[in-house]
Amino acid sequence: MFEKPLGMRDTLPELYETKDHVRSSIEEEMKRWGYQFIETPALEYYETVGAASAILDQQLFKLLDQQGHTLVLRPDMTAPIARVAASKLLKDDMPLRLAYSANVYRAQQREGGRPAEFEQIGVECIGDGTVSADGEVIALMISSIKEAGLADFQVSVGHIGFVQEFFREILGTEERANALMKFLYEKNYVGYREHVKSLSLSSIDKQRLLEFLQLRGGEEVIKLAFKLIENGCGAEAVRQLRQLWETISDYGEEASVKFDLTLVSHMSYYTGILFEVYAGSVGFPIGNGGRYDLLMQKFGKTTGATGFALRLDRMIEALGTLEKSEPVICILFSDERRKEAFEIAKAKRADGMRVVLQDINGVNNVDACTNKYADTIFLLGSAGRRPSS
Amino acid sequence: MSELVTVAMPKGRIFEEAVELLRMAGYRLPPEFEDSRKLIIDVEEERMRFILAKPMDVLTYVEHGVADLGIAGKDVMLEEERDVYELLDLKISHCYLAVAGLPNTKMNDVAPKIATKYPNVAAAYFREQGEQVEIIKLNGSIELAPLIGLSDRIVDIVSTGRTLKENGLVEYERIVDITSRLVVNPVSYRMKDERISELVERLSTVIEGEAVRQP
């Protein structure tokens, strides 16, 4: 056995077919929405793209180039695309709609069960700060997932700007808001509630902070959120969420969407509406996305952007059944009938069939060969004679 | 029919208290529940499946989503730092993490050694104290380590202090209080929202009631 580095996986033919099928159905949908696919290099500079990406430093694969610069294997696609968009594509002040399907790399130290290299398919809508753009990427994500054949999934939408403003208004300082925010990042609601109780706040404000954890559900969450805020802090964010709900309803996709204002992301570049998507049978989100208006600044452009990425490996896990691969026919031929075999193969291939041409002299075990293929045509000896077994 | 939820339960110390709590919250668990040697127990009438795991492994099952919910000690959660939601303090299995060692001893100046089942927690604690220590990971009977000279100190959970005392060890510092927590997988938290919210509500009612009775 030749071992592979931790978290690296092979894609064998059957899985490849499935991946290919899922990938192309998603890609086709993205293209139908007018998104243009691009590719970026697998290696980027650590100091620029590595630092701009939101992946933890210890998860980056790093290496040195011949001049001693530190490089990273791209841990996500959003930062590289922001780099390309800022330096090359954003010229005529028009929203850009870009898409990608690419492998990204995140080192795993703890255990197996999680790949260190996996494919993401996603889009970035750059240069459009409207809620319409947020709605568009969510609707496109839903539509792509449906195109891939997945029915049982749910999108949870939050707003990081709302959380930040709401906490800052009640707690007064950025520092105290961040302390509370940390509990949300750690998903530690017990710690959150204990921390709130320990704060020197009015009982009304404490109650507001505790009720914040309940802001999860359907359209009604918007009303609840409006009730919780005071002095207009966070109102703009809630208005955006309401507009988003209307937008998604106009797309007819509201059945797949729920609000969860407690949702925060380890992707620290998000600034506004953000979301995750889950499928029933998979223990991890199958995709996520959101608005990242400040990331473009790191590459010298002040413009808004939003996007999402779906994880192909988890999509396939959610879909469950492996795609039955197309049947392959085998033509076993001997020298005498080689030309005939080639002609038949050519004709069948022109009809879209998958045909293997196999010289009988290259096969030791004819039975194993015939078992491997859906059908086998023997073109052996002189014309019209069956092979002697 | 409501969705099936899978709960990872820790075998051992916490298990019985957790089962009692679930019963008090009105979940009809069969009487032979505790005595079973099965690793998977289906409770069809509650649409629940329980899996019985090592306490250290409960979080792994929940993080990977093969269990929706789990009951785990805060000690394990601090050690493992898994990506799960900590929804509820069940206020059962009270204990604490502490530094202990032989009485009237000082730690070695050059390379103080700490034996523990919780290498991450121990390392973080001594780092905070500004002390450079070497951690030795053990899997049980941690009290042995200072007795036979493997380490200067141990970091371990203490519930009554009896084990320490019987082995002639004393507690030096208390690190953090521990109780058991209800944890949930982030996907299940959204996809099985209703069932999980109901469980949390029923358990909270019991826990708060208990808190009133035993102030």
Side-chain angles (χ1 to χ4, degrees):
Chain A
M1 232 10 190
F2 300 98
E3 288 194 26
K4 294 169 294 184
L6 182 67
M8 293 298 170
R9 290 179 184 173
D10 298 312
T11 305
L12 298 182
E14 214 172 323
L15 178 58
Y16 184 92
E17 289 267 323
T18 310
K19 265 173 98 167
D20 196 41
H21 176 80
V22 174
R23 181 194 299 119
S24 55
S25 32
I26 295 174
E27 282 179 355
E28 287 310 311
E29 185 64 6
M30 289 169 172
K31 287 178 195 163
R32 282 192 287 268
W33 287 52
Y35 283 74
Q36 291 177 299
F37 275 80
I38 64 167
E39 285 180 342
T40 68
L43 286 173
E44 295 272 359
Y45 280 118
Y46 172 65
E47 278 166 32
T48 53
V49 172
S53 95
I55 304 301
L56 290 177
D57 206 55
Q58 67 259 32
Q59 282 200 296
L60 298 177
F61 283 100
K62 299 187 199 100
L63 55 157
L64 297 176
D65 71 5
Q66 280 165 329
Q67 284 78 41
H69 304 295
T70 310
L71 309 175
V72 291
L73 277 169
R74 60 176 174 225
D76 70 0
M77 281 300 288
T78 303
I81 287 183
R83 173 184 61 74
V84 186
S87 44
K88 289 199 184 130
L89 300 172
L90 272 177
K91 281 192 181 132
D92 43 6
D93 208 21
M94 274 284 291
L96 263 176
R97 286 177 169 78
L98 299 173
Y100 59 86
S101 62
N103 284 1
V104 299
Y105 304 86
R106 295 176 197 171
Q108 304 295 336
Q109 292 128 331
R110 198 199 281 271
E111 63 201 0
R114 262 171 289 203
E117 176 188 39
F118 52 87
E119 186 169 342
Q120 282 190 329
I121 307 182
V123 305
E124 310 292 349
C125 181
I126 301 168
D128 186 337
T130 64
V131 175
S132 289
D134 294 290
E136 174 175 316
V137 297
I138 292 175
L140 172 53
M141 182 175 78
I142 292 171
S143 186
S144 305
I145 293 170
K146 285 181 177 168
E147 278 298 313
L150 191 62
D152 179 25
F153 67 93
Q154 188 206 304
V155 183
S156 279
V157 179
H159 195 302
I160 191 72
F162 170 77
V163 186
Q164 285 162 344
E165 278 195 43
F166 180 65
F167 282 7
R168 215 176 302 145
E169 186 250 316
I170 295 182
L171 297 164
T173 68
E174 189 87 10
E175 201 185 343
R176 293 174 74 192
N178 286 342
L180 191 58
M181 190 80 89
K182 189 162 169 276
F183 290 104
L184 288 188
Y185 281 112
E186 290 170 352
K187 301 188 167 72
N188 181 355
Y189 289 2
V190 173
Y192 177 96
R193 286 191 291 258
E194 278 167 8
H195 185 76
V196 167
K197 281 175 195 155
S198 75
L199 291 167
S200 54
L201 290 172
S202 71
S203 59
I204 295 172
D205 279 345
K206 282 187 185 179
Q207 195 53 36
R208 286 167 70 202
L209 286 172
L210 294 177
E211 276 174 26
F212 165 77
L213 292 183
Q214 312 295 326
L215 292 179
R216 307 169 60 229
E219 200 185 353
E220 72 280 2
V221 169
I222 292 169
K223 271 197 199 126
L224 294 175
F226 269 125
K227 261 194 220 161
L228 270 192
I229 52 180
E230 279 173 7
N231 324 326
C233 274
E236 175 53 27
V238 185
R239 271 194 289 276
Q240 285 179 7
L241 286 172
R242 185 172 59 196
Q243 205 185 330
L244 180 76
W245 182 262
E246 288 162 4
T247 307
I248 290 173
S249 301
D250 288 346
Y251 276 110
E253 302 287 15
E254 73 279 12
S256 306
V257 177
K258 278 192 176 168
F259 286 116
D260 188 338
L261 297 196
T262 65
L263 186 71
V264 293
S265 171
H266 67 276
M267 309 295 266
S268 54
Y269 47 58
Y270 289 134
T271 50
I273 287 167
L274 78 173
F275 49 90
E276 286 186 344
V277 55
Y278 316 99
S281 51
V282 185
F284 303 94
I286 57 172
N288 71 308
R291 177 162 285 285
Y292 52 95
D293 288 348
L294 298 179
L295 180 62
M296 298 300 294
Q297 270 179 23
K298 292 194 183 174
F299 297 101
K301 292 270 178 187
T302 41
T303 185
T306 176
F308 72 83
L310 290 170
R311 284 192 52 162
L312 194 55
D313 55 336
R314 292 181 183 161
M315 284 288 294
I316 286 163
E317 197 185 332
L319 285 162
T321 49
L322 284 179
E323 190 74 15
K324 202 87 189 107
S325 48
E326 294 258 330
V328 179
I329 297 165
C330 178
I331 301 178
L332 264 181
F333 65 92
S334 62
D335 287 350
E336 298 91 328
R337 300 180 65 185
R338 187 174 56 222
K339 191 158 190 275
E340 184 190 348
F342 289 2
E343 278 162 3
I344 293 174
K346 198 173 176 186
K348 287 191 182 296
R349 284 169 183 161
D351 286 343
M353 281 190 249
R354 299 183 178 191
V355 185
V356 163
L357 277 169
Q358 176 63 56
D359 188 326
I360 185 77
N361 294 317
V363 177
N364 292 327
N365 184 340
V366 175
D367 282 343
C369 179
T370 54
N371 287 337
K372 190 174 171 198
Y373 297 102
D375 197 9
T376 312
I377 298 168
F378 296 90
L379 296 174
L380 305 171
S382 48
R385 225 175 58 196
R386 299 289 298 169
S388 54
S389 51
Chain B
M1 184 122 71
S2 58
E3 277 171 301
L4 180 76
V5 290
T6 304
V7 187
M9 300 280 277
K11 286 196 284 196
R13 206 168 51 90
I14 310 172
F15 182 74
E16 282 179 23
E17 285 185 71
V19 170
E20 195 193 327
L21 197 64
L22 284 166
R23 288 213 173 103
M24 285 165 73
Y27 288 96
R28 290 155 297 175
L29 307 179
E32 68 278 9
F33 198 72
E34 291 92 328
D35 310 321
S36 176
R37 287 180 162 267
K38 280 193 198 158
L39 296 175
I40 300 177
I41 304 174
D42 285 311
V43 182
E44 193 43 50
E45 59 170 334
E46 296 286 3
R47 297 288 296 143
M48 286 170 108
R49 160 174 287 181
F50 292 87
I51 61 171
L52 273 55
K54 280 267 186 200
M56 280 278 183
D57 296 336
V58 164
L59 295 168
T60 313
Y61 288 104
V62 176
E63 187 186 46
H64 284 259
V66 289
D68 300 306
L69 295 152
I71 291 175
K74 184 69 183 176
D75 52 335
V76 181
M77 299 184 65
L78 290 169
E79 177 62 25
E80 294 269 306
E81 293 193 318
R82 295 280 178 171
D83 189 28
V84 297
Y85 278 96
E86 179 181 339
L87 288 188
L88 211 54
D89 183 350
L90 299 175
K91 308 226 166 98
I92 56 172
S93 307
H94 289 267
C95 57
Y96 56 95
L97 276 166
V99 182
L102 286 166
N104 306 315
T105 52
K106 281 217 158 96
M107 290 211 289
N108 184 311
D109 287 337
V110 186
K113 284 185 278 186
I114 314 292
T116 183
K117 218 160 74 171
Y118 305 93
N120 293 330
V121 176
Y125 175 74
F126 286 103
R127 206 178 303 126
E128 259 172 44
Q129 307 293 309
E131 294 191 60
Q132 285 198 328
V133 298
E134 293 180 7
I135 308 281
I136 297 167
K137 159 102 201 237
L138 292 178
N139 291 301
S141 304
I142 316 294
E143 295 80 5
L144 259 178
L147 296 177
I148 60 165
L150 176 64
S151 73
D152 302 301
R153 294 282 187 268
I154 61 170
V155 168
D156 204 11
I157 47 169
V158 180
S159 42
T160 59
R162 227 181 93 193
T163 320
L164 287 182
K165 210 171 160 190
E166 283 182 4
N167 289 292
L169 300 180
V170 293
E171 190 183 311
Y172 280 92
E173 291 130 58
R174 198 177 172 119
I175 300 178
V176 63
D177 285 324
I178 304 292
T179 50
S180 297
R181 311 293 161 101
L182 179 74
V183 298
V184 58
N185 172 275
V187 175
S188 307
Y189 189 46
R190 270 86 191 203
M191 296 296 283
K192 299 184 178 176
D193 179 32
E194 278 173 32
R195 289 222 60 190
I196 288 167
S197 301
E198 191 209 329
L199 179 85
V200 167
E201 222 153 90
R202 280 162 76 170
L203 285 173
S204 324
T205 315
V206 175
I207 296 161
E208 275 157 35
E210 282 290 284
V212 173
R213 259 196 291 154
Q214 322 174 317

